[in-house]
Amino acid sequence: MSKSDLADLPPDQIWDETLAIAAEIRDRRPLAPLGPPRRLRGDGVASFLLSPAAARLDPPGLVGAVGQRLLAEGLPLRRVTSGLLAMHPQVFARTLMWDRDDGMTDLARGFEIEQSEFYRASPVRLIHLGAPGFRRRLEGPAAADDFPVLADLRAVGVTDYLIRPLDFAAVRRSFVAFATDRRGGFTDEEIARLDDLVPILSLRFETAMQRQLSDTLLSLYLGRDAARRVATGAVRRGDGETIRAAILSCDMRGFTRLSDRASASEVIALLDAYLDAVTLAVHGHGGEVLKFMGDGCLAIFPADEGTGTGTAGRDACRRALAAACEALTAIDAIEDLPPALGPSGLKVGFALNYGDVVYGNIGSTERLDFTVIGPAVNEVARVEALCKVLDRKLLATSTFAAELDMTDALRSVGLHVLRGRREPTEIYTTDED
């Protein structure tokens, strides 16, 4: 049973489960808990792990460097494996394995592995639940077989296996495992050396994971380009620059009615599918999703050189139009719609504009938003609201149409007065709409 499972149990059952887990760990004959390192003076690998060179490595680089350096110093390693629990909406953990013969493998594992028999019967699960580690000899008539993974290791010639936890202060428990294929396995001195290295490995891995976690979470919550800018120092309130960009705004029709009539799980599943379609299309055409606003989305396609994603206004507008059309096709293909949507199904309106926007940090001293503001952003929001009035899936401003310069791609649907404006604006749509 995972920790998340325990959180849903009543107190008495939690206590029973805790006792059962403790008994299972005890019955598996775990090693004694690790103490502080004892014999690191003169250890080349320990010195390397404490050096700036190791600090610059990512987790796969660390695993590979440790395996290669230990092997070069005479420790007969076959494999070094580390499983690092992730903070990611789709990834439970990354399994990093250095093999003396096959090099590095980096495998992302989804959350479904928590329910798999492979995980439930592995020493890794017990490490996650608090075990201090296990050593298993895999040769001779007394070879251990209490974990199914040991048979796989024995099949590739492994004779001795050691797994220890990587205890991090800020993220969940991970592990590192060492395997040798030398007859007789590890010596007592070799086991002691590996045990002494584990606390240093924990510190180094935690630093690397925190750096990677920051990059991942910034990208997930801010967007890729905004995350890059924030990570490189664009953090002051009011910092921003004026860029020229195509702007995409979209919104789901009838969302309030859907929220009132459908279950929460149905609403969330539909939002995920719809926003996934939009995000994949935007990113696929070099755009940047800046924010989700309930059932709405705001994205930009920068045209200025120096942003790294566009070189001209026409190119930016073409990419924005292609992304909107691709997203609409993907949205039309979404299956298993909630019955509460009614016979009209899922309707989404897209609006496109082009112009100057201020791109940067906006907000309070306690909460900042890295986004775009300006008249062009306000206008695209007004055009998006017009989609419902005109019953159109996609509308674009005359500024966007003029910059696009593709008369065969857009056609006028006439002059319309936008909210907050006195003068009418010419609006365009696609032939397919």
Side-chain angles (χ1 to χ4, degrees):
M1 179 171 289
S2 68
K3 291 181 180 179
S4 60
D5 294 329
L6 290 175
D8 297 328
L9 297 177
D12 289 344
Q13 193 171 347
I14 291 176
W15 177 247
D16 292 341
E17 291 289 344
T18 302
L19 292 178
I21 290 168
E24 183 178 359
I25 292 174
R26 183 193 64 239
D27 293 344
R28 295 286 191 165
R29 307 188 316 280
L31 300 172
L34 287 172
R38 302 186 304 276
R39 292 166 292 194
L40 293 181
R41 183 173 299 177
D43 190 305
V45 177
S47 299
F48 163 73
L49 288 172
L50 295 171
S51 72
R56 290 189 287 269
L57 293 175
D58 61 6
L62 276 172
V63 172
V66 168
Q68 291 165 359
R69 287 173 177 270
L70 286 171
L71 184 65
E73 292 186 9
L75 203 155
L77 286 178
R78 172 60 191 267
R79 285 181 179 174
V80 178
T81 307
S82 184
L84 304 175
L85 292 176
M87 288 285 286
H88 192 280
Q90 295 177 301
V91 179
F92 170 66
R94 289 173 65 193
T95 300
L96 310 173
M97 184 176 72
W98 171 84
D99 186 275
R100 185 185 61 214
D101 300 330
D102 300 328
M104 278 299 306
T105 301
D106 185 348
L107 178 63
R109 299 186 182 275
F111 285 90
E112 65 278 0
I113 196 170
E114 284 189 281
Q115 307 305 319
S116 70
E117 190 59 33
F118 170 79
Y119 174 75
R120 289 179 175 275
S122 74
V124 174
R125 182 182 72 90
L126 295 180
I127 292 289
H128 289 164
L129 291 171
F134 300 95
R135 181 189 181 185
R136 292 295 185 265
R137 297 183 181 274
L138 303 180
E139 61 181 348
D145 62 357
D146 55 333
F147 298 113
V149 70
L150 300 180
D152 298 333
L153 292 170
R154 192 181 299 110
V156 296
V158 170
T159 58
D160 205 348
Y161 172 77
L162 173 72
I163 182 171
R164 284 292 198 179
L166 296 172
D167 282 316
F168 299 154
V171 294
R172 295 176 294 171
R173 216 176 202 219
S174 297
F175 76 88
V176 63
F178 304 93
T180 182
D181 54 4
R182 182 182 61 189
R183 288 191 61 184
F186 293 119
T187 66
D188 290 342
E189 283 298 312
E190 289 165 346
I191 290 290
R193 184 189 183 191
L194 293 174
D195 281 349
D196 285 345
L197 287 175
V198 168
I200 304 177
L201 274 171
S202 292
L203 293 173
R204 184 56 72 208
F205 268 116
E206 182 168 18
T207 301
M209 287 293 290
Q210 286 293 342
R211 184 169 62 243
Q212 194 169 71
L213 174 62
S214 296
D215 292 345
T216 298
L217 292 182
L218 281 174
S219 181
L220 281 170
Y221 285 94
L222 295 181
R224 297 176 298 184
D225 183 64
R228 177 184 62 80
R229 291 169 181 259
V230 170
T232 54
V235 296
R236 290 183 61 188
R237 183 173 63 152
D239 276 353
E241 61 175 313
T242 299
I243 67 171
R244 187 155 289 186
I247 312 158
L248 179 152
S249 177
C250 66
D251 188 73
M252 185 190 298
R253 300 284 168 257
F255 181 70
T256 302
R257 176 178 179 272
L258 174 67
S259 300
D260 289 340
R261 299 188 179 187
S263 67
S265 60
E266 287 178 317
V267 173
I268 291 172
L270 181 61
L271 276 176
D272 286 347
Y274 144 59
L275 294 174
D276 202 31
V278 176
T279 302
L280 290 174
V282 169
H283 287 174
H285 291 277
E288 181 78 8
V289 172
L290 295 181
K291 62 171 66 179
F292 299 126
M293 302 158 289
D295 59 322
C297 176
L298 178 67
I300 59 171
F301 296 78
D304 294 21
E305 288 199 42
T307 63
T309 55
T311 57
R314 183 177 302 173
D315 174 64
C317 291
R318 285 177 175 174
R319 290 184 289 112
L321 178 60
C325 292
E326 184 177 308
L328 282 168
T329 299
I331 289 167
D332 287 341
I334 295 176
E335 299 178 345
D336 300 324
L337 298 177
L341 278 174
S344 60
L346 176 59
K347 288 189 174 183
V348 178
F350 281 78
L352 300 169
N353 195 13
Y354 179 75
D356 289 339
V357 295
V358 178
Y359 185 35
N361 280 305
I362 298 151
S364 74
T365 55
E366 298 295 324
R367 175 67 169 85
L368 292 174
D369 192 10
F370 205 99
T371 187
V372 290
I373 60 171
V377 181
N378 300 335
E379 187 173 29
V380 79
R382 295 180 177 117
V383 173
E384 189 278 316
L386 196 60
C387 288
K388 182 177 182 180
V389 176
L390 300 181
D391 193 23
R392 300 285 184 178
K393 294 181 180 180
L394 187 151
L395 295 175
T397 65
S398 56
T399 306
F400 183 93
E403 189 67 35
L404 188 65
D405 193 23
M406 294 175 64
T407 55
D408 59 337
L410 296 175
R411 61 180 176 84
S412 174
V413 291
L415 296 171
H416 298 271
V417 177
L418 300 178
R419 178 173 49 84
R421 295 281 182 84
R422 292 184 178 180
E423 298 298 323
T425 301
E426 190 164 18
I427 302 298
Y428 289 76
T429 190
T430 61
D431 286 333
E432 290 78 12
D433 196 4

